[in-house]
Amino acid sequence: MRAALSQKDLGALLDLLSNDTRPIEAVGALFLRTFAKADHFRMATALCLLIQDGVLNLSQRILAFFILFDLYKAPRPAPCASPRALPQRLTRSARALQAEAPGTNPFLPVLLEQIGRPGLDSCERHFLLHLVSPRSPPPPPPPPPPRRGARG
């Protein structure tokens, strides 16, 4: 595995982040097609550095956050018992969250750090909270209607 990011890779990554007219899922899929699976972690690390260095504009950061989330998304945990518990759960250390769910996103600490960043745009904060917040599982499908003429 190469340690450094080539100018070609950096250019491809920045071009990808400039696709702000495409749906966000399409940009995520384009990331997966553009870079080999073996390079995903390295490219995601580069995204983290670009975010932390403040060189990305708002739409590029939103796309970068989505890619970081989407690369390692896993089944969602059970929802919080109380909506008031969510801020406490999100403000716990990233290590505690990762200890609760081994195998979680290795870039979760970066996403959580960005939520607490001073001067963060409100749409950015809401997007990040949406990504890292537990979601309710979908409701169960309705039971099939009783069969007509069935004798019980």
Side-chain angles (χ1 to χ4, degrees), residues 55-66:
V55 297
L56 302 177
N57 66 34
L58 177 62
S59 63
Q60 291 172 322
R61 284 191 310 272
I62 295 291
L63 291 172
F65 293 146
F66 179 77

Side-chain angles (χ1 to χ4, degrees), residues 32-117:
L32 296 175
R33 287 192 311 269
T34 302
F35 302 105
K37 186 171 177 93
D39 292 332
H40 286 176
F41 184 83
R42 188 170 54 86
M43 299 310 292
T45 301
L47 284 175
C48 289
L49 292 173
L50 292 169
I51 291 167
Q52 292 170 333
D53 288 347
V55 297
L56 302 177
N57 66 34
L58 177 62
S59 63
Q60 291 172 322
R61 284 191 310 272
I62 295 291
L63 291 172
F65 293 146
F66 179 77
I67 291 167
L68 291 174
F69 167 77
D70 194 52
L71 273 176
Y72 294 95
K73 70 182 172 191
R76 297 306 228 162
C80 292
S82 162
R84 293 179 190 208
L86 182 60
Q88 291 174 341
R89 189 170 180 190
L90 290 175
T91 56
R92 283 189 285 166
S93 76
R95 282 186 194 213
L97 284 172
Q98 286 182 326
E100 286 177 7
T104 59
N105 190 327
F107 300 102
L108 180 62
V110 174
L111 299 175
L112 293 173
E113 175 185 289
Q114 292 299 308
I115 291 171
R117 187 179 53 135

